[in-house]
Amino acid sequence: MLMGEGIKLRLQKEFNVPVDAPCIRPDLFKTLGNEKIKNLDLHVGNKVKGLKDLFEVEGEFSDEITIDGDLSNFKGIGHKMESGKITIRGTVGMHTGAEMSGGKIIIEGNASDWLGAELQGGMIRVKGNAGNLVGAGYRGSKVGMRGGMIIVEGGVGNEVGALMRRGTIAVGNAGDFTGCFATGGSILVWGDTGERTGAFMSRGTIVLYHEPKLLPTFKYGCAYNPVFLRMLLRLLSNWVDVDPQYITGNYKRYSGDITELGKGEILIWVG
Amino acid sequence: MEDLKIVNGIVYDPLNGIDGERLDIHVSGGKIAERAKAQRVIDVKGMVVMPGGVDIHSHIAGPKINMGRRLRPENHRTAPVPKTDVTRAGVGGGLSSTFVTGYRYAAMGYTTVMEPAVPPLMARHAHEELNDIPMVDKGCYVLMGNNEYIISHIHELNKVENYVKWLLNAAKGYAIKAVNPCGSDNWKWGENVHGLGEKGVKFDATPKEMITTLSEVNKRLKLPHPLHLHTIDLGVPGNYETTLETLEMLKGKRAHLTHLQFNCYGGSSWKDLSSEAGGIAEKVNDSKITVDSGQVIFGDVTTMTADAPWQYRLYRLSGNKWVNNDVEVECGGGIVPYRYRKKNSVNATQWAIGLELLLMIEDPWRVYLSTDNPNGGSFTSYPYIIKLLMDKKFRKEELSTLHQNASSTSLPDIDREYTLGEIATITRGATAKSLGLKNKGHLGVGADADIAIYPLKEDIAKMFSKASYVIKDGDLVVGKGKIISEKYGKTFMLDFKEKVEPDPDVREFFKYYTVDIENYPVEMAYLPRYEAIKCG
């Protein structure tokens, strides 16, 4: 068994119809030879096609996958994966890394909505922007993200980390309703946030580095420098540039949402 | 439609007194025939032949189930059902889509299903949805126990009779259904009713009057199915006394008490809830009442009922998301997702009560299998319940995995095991008889050719979950548990023999409606395939 060589997928042409591709996952590819990988089924619009009809496939028996091409119509890559690594050299579509419990996904372009939705473990890094509902819980679920880490260097849309219970999300800019309904976990926003940050949150931490427009249901407590945050920021500095002042500076602590349990917190950096 | 001959099967047809005899069945023109020139012979050696199953109480269409689907997207996401060459795509879960509902019933050998709670105002939608359920014949019961016209004319029997007749005809319903009579209407003022003699906050009628009136009207109209009653105080600890009182009140009358399991609770709170199934079963044994069990199945369910105050109570208990609804002057309703847990003392006791009822009511012609789908569990659990009824050892094994309170019921001491003939009775023969469907539930000459053929297997649950063959109206629709051709059944409605006109004051009453009386009745266009059953 050849490990470490990696499997390369190169998209042959662009697709206008959605492609359902949950079969692209390293823990599955690890067990398959080249021929079997080529014959995996994908739903292209309302038709079932083999992987070979869409991609040039190189390599076999490896849990490292590299994909080249514009995958904006590809949904569910790395869905439920448990180990291994996917590197996407380009843009990727919805539900990437949804419900994954281990391994790593690196996206060099942009990602779409529902990135890492209901994530349970592992890591997702996006060098570009991501869409709405990053790490959120699917409609009807009681709990969203349960573990793992999502780092987006660019901006993200609305409802990031909705229903989050555990894990870490760090993003550039965020839209409205960041961390809404959260029952735990940490969300860090280096840039601007939209409105109603932390609405309905009962527990959990949201860390902001630009002064936000807070809901009136968050109550000011004190200004301090939390120990856990220093540790978390040092950990994050492995992957993103963290300003040393963020580690040493003080944070205003607001607790809320007091219409709910009120045990959540929003920390705002004051320098 | 080709003629069929089914040979070498072991036939169970309780309505015709056939209990495990080797007989050949002839099918001609969609009906069971004396003798047919069979173009096709199906050899079912070593298999069990039964009439198609008849489910008397399963929420499969209408506003509630649809609202439940909207409330629970997570229920669909985890259970997609892809299309095949003959079937359409849909979702499973506890709230399966219309097509999947039909396919799943057919795969289990069921060919007739009754939707038990349709508000007349929403009947048009219910019929649209029923039309989209393939494979089975269906019908719906019309909710009347909280109708404000009936409440305000409770002492004028003739008026109520005419109104009920008109309403059944307008909604194209098949039977009268009463859910928490007067209680759901009292909920409009934030109150429920407790006890049969309690009057409403703003109206002068009691549940007792409502039940007796509707049962009397049912008798006068000679409806094929008796009053289908979901009694008051459902799900409340200590409610067995009310149930006994209700049974006493209905002594000598025709009535069907539905999902009775929820009405057999002793004790004074959730902590000391106990089973009173023994006393209730004894009372049922002494009466003419028919009942269905409302068995609880462990796992995730979506409860939905027109008993709005109870659903509010369940929401307070569970803390889950909920819907509570008010259907103008007719009824209300609610939906709450719920999880029955094996290690929960109340849930374990509920599970035991359902089985106690089925095992302790002696006459299988008067107690029927149901889960009150999707309230107690999905209809797909019927094979599991059948196994529990037929296999004492399996019952003991299951009981040992539950909370100890389930063992303090009388279930561990019951030795009765159902025979295949009795299973055929509680799942088809008796239910068809109770519904007054003369062409269903048996394999006599002239009956609709709805036939379910099961492989004889050691594991009863496996045997009943996938029928080897199912024949619907003379067509082979299921083979080896898979749908091999899609077929749409008919809807049952009532034939009153004469034109039904509402009283003038019904027209007056419609000023309280958002709908004009002319637009209220469901047009026949909504029943493209129907069979009208004659009253009387």
Side-chain angles (χ1 to χ4, degrees), chain B residues 436-499:
Chain B
L437 294 170
K438 294 203 171 66
N439 293 331
K440 296 285 171 196
H442 70 105
L443 298 171
V445 174
D448 289 351
D450 293 353
I451 307 168
I453 299 161
Y454 299 102
L456 204 52
K457 279 189 185 170
E458 193 92 328
D459 188 341
I460 301 292
K462 277 198 184 134
M463 168 178 165
F464 280 98
S465 60
K466 277 185 182 165
S468 298
Y469 300 100
V470 176
I471 292 149
K472 174 90 193 80
D473 288 331
D475 284 330
L476 195 59
V477 290
V478 171
K480 287 188 183 160
K482 287 213 167 69
I483 309 295
I484 50 177
S485 81
E486 196 182 46
K487 189 179 171 86
Y488 281 82
K490 57 197 173 230
T491 304
F492 293 110
M493 58 176 281
L494 295 169
D495 178 5
F496 288 106
K497 293 173 199 160
E498 62 210 356
K499 208 163 176 257

Side-chain angles (χ1 to χ4, degrees), chain A residues 13-220:
Chain A
K13 60 172 188 172
E14 283 184 19
F15 287 91
N16 294 324
V17 291
V19 182
D20 204 8
C23 66
I24 302 182
R25 47 186 281 189
D27 46 356
L28 175 68
F29 279 26
K30 194 170 72 173
T31 62
L32 301 178
N34 192 287
E35 271 312 300
K36 282 197 173 162
I37 294 174
K38 279 180 177 170
N39 287 321
L40 284 171
D41 283 346
L42 297 172
H43 282 268
V44 182
N46 59 2
K47 297 201 170 53
V48 177
K49 287 190 178 173
L51 199 75
K52 61 175 185 293
D53 300 330
L54 285 74
F55 292 98
E56 260 173 51
V57 184
E58 272 175 40
E60 58 185 350
F61 294 121
S62 168
D63 63 356
E64 287 198 16
I65 306 173
T66 313
I67 315 174
D68 277 314
D70 178 10
L71 304 176
S72 3
N73 287 322
F74 280 66
K75 293 198 283 187
I77 291 178
H79 181 240
K80 287 192 177 171
M81 68 185 248
E82 287 161 9
S83 60
K85 184 177 171 186
I86 304 178
T87 309
I88 298 165
R89 298 218 179 95
T91 298
V92 72
M94 291 197 283
H95 306 280
T96 305
E99 294 177 67
M100 76 185 240
S101 54
K104 205 168 185 179
I105 298 179
I106 294 171
I107 299 159
E108 293 182 356
N110 298 330
S112 187
D113 300 343
W114 299 108
L115 174 78
E118 300 199 0
L119 193 78
Q120 302 193 20
M123 183 180 215
I124 300 177
R125 282 180 65 196
V126 183
K127 306 247 165 103
N129 302 320
N132 301 310
L133 293 144
V134 172
Y138 280 119
R139 297 300 184 215
S141 293
K142 278 186 175 172
V143 180
M145 185 163 155
R146 281 160 227 220
M149 192 181 279
I150 301 176
I151 297 173
V152 182
E153 291 179 19
V156 295
N158 301 330
E159 291 184 55
V160 178
L163 292 158
M164 184 172 183
R165 174 167 282 173
R166 229 172 267 122
T168 309
I169 301 177
V171 300
N173 297 315
D176 300 341
F177 288 102
T178 302
C180 60
F181 296 99
T183 53
S186 313
I187 302 173
L188 294 93
V189 186
W190 311 117
D192 295 323
T193 45
E195 292 189 13
R196 299 186 175 87
T197 301
F200 297 106
M201 74 190 285
S202 51
R203 285 194 172 87
T205 307
I206 300 173
V207 190
L208 306 174
Y209 289 91
H210 285 194
E211 196 64 39
K213 209 166 128 188
L214 267 193
L215 279 171
T217 48
F218 280 85
K219 203 171 84 184
Y220 178 71

Side-chain angles (χ1 to χ4, degrees), chain B residues 248-323:
Chain B
E248 181 65 39
M249 191 176 88
L250 290 167
K251 208 166 186 179
K253 294 193 175 109
R254 275 179 87 216
H256 178 85
L257 257 62
T258 190
H259 41 73
L260 195 63
Q261 176 273 123
F262 293 103
N263 288 76
C264 298
Y265 303 155
S268 54
S269 72
W270 294 111
K271 277 182 191 154
D272 63 352
L273 182 127
S274 61
S275 164
E276 293 291 343
I280 305 268
E282 214 172 282
K283 196 89 185 166
V284 174
N285 282 336
D286 288 346
S287 68
K288 281 190 190 167
I289 308 286
T290 59
V291 304
D292 66 81
S293 61
Q295 177 66 31
V296 153
I297 304 293
F298 297 109
D300 188 40
V301 301
T302 312
T303 68
M304 52 182 66
T305 162
D307 191 346
W310 159 248
Q311 287 300 72
Y312 174 69
R313 211 181 145 128
L314 193 62
Y315 150 69
R316 295 288 298 218
L317 269 172
S318 65
N320 282 335
K321 53 186 171 183
W322 65 305
V323 172

Side-chain angles (χ1 to χ4, degrees), chain B residues 107-343:
Chain B
M108 292 197 314
Y110 272 77
T111 50
T112 306
V113 186
M114 287 294 183
E115 154 60 47
V118 172
L121 191 61
M122 307 288 177
R124 197 173 265 107
H125 164 228
H127 281 292
E128 282 178 325
E129 221 170 316
L130 285 175
N131 287 338
D132 268 348
I133 299 177
M135 320 306 283
V136 291
D137 293 335
K138 50 253 161 178
C140 59
Y141 310 155
V142 180
L143 287 164
M144 296 192 191
N146 292 287
N147 191 301
E148 294 210 358
Y149 181 87
I150 301 179
I151 284 176
S152 54
H153 295 80
I154 195 88
H155 302 296
E156 301 160 76
L157 209 52
N158 287 336
K159 276 201 165 161
V160 175
E161 184 189 337
N162 193 56
Y163 177 70
V164 167
K165 196 171 166 184
W166 175 76
L167 202 59
L168 279 169
N169 192 46
K172 304 288 178 281
Y174 187 73
I176 304 175
K177 171 82 184 285
V179 173
N180 190 6
C182 296
S184 293
D185 201 49
N186 219 12
W187 182 234
K188 286 172 181 161
W189 292 276
E191 299 288 337
N192 199 349
V193 285
H194 310 282
L196 287 163
E198 193 177 304
K199 279 188 177 159
V201 179
K202 298 269 181 183
F203 55 85
D204 184 25
T206 63
K208 188 176 180 174
E209 287 167 335
M210 182 56 89
I211 295 169
T212 44
T213 304
L214 288 177
S215 141
E216 181 59 30
V217 165
N218 201 97
K219 193 176 153 195
R220 282 190 182 192
L221 291 173
K222 295 182 182 158
L223 300 184
H225 183 52
L227 169 66
H228 201 92
L229 179 64
H230 157 141
T231 60
I232 61 167
D233 285 341
L234 176 132
V236 182
N239 61 9
Y240 77 102
E241 287 176 4
T242 317
T243 313
L244 287 175
E245 221 180 301
T246 313
L247 285 166
E248 181 65 39
M249 191 176 88
L250 290 167
K251 208 166 186 179
K253 294 193 175 109
R254 275 179 87 216
H256 178 85
L257 257 62
T258 190
H259 41 73
L260 195 63
Q261 176 273 123
F262 293 103
N263 288 76
C264 298
Y265 303 155
S268 54
S269 72
W270 294 111
K271 277 182 191 154
D272 63 352
L273 182 127
S274 61
S275 164
E276 293 291 343
I280 305 268
E282 214 172 282
K283 196 89 185 166
V284 174
N285 282 336
D286 288 346
S287 68
K288 281 190 190 167
I289 308 286
T290 59
V291 304
D292 66 81
S293 61
Q295 177 66 31
V296 153
I297 304 293
F298 297 109
D300 188 40
V301 301
T302 312
T303 68
M304 52 182 66
T305 162
D307 191 346
W310 159 248
Q311 287 300 72
Y312 174 69
R313 211 181 145 128
L314 193 62
Y315 150 69
R316 295 288 298 218
L317 269 172
S318 65
N320 282 335
K321 53 186 171 183
W322 65 305
V323 172
N324 221 251
N325 209 344
D326 172 40
V327 186
E328 302 194 10
V329 290
E330 294 181 344
C331 55
I335 300 153
V336 186
Y338 190 75
R339 178 175 281 278
Y340 292 107
R341 292 182 168 86
K342 284 191 170 187
K343 295 293 178 194

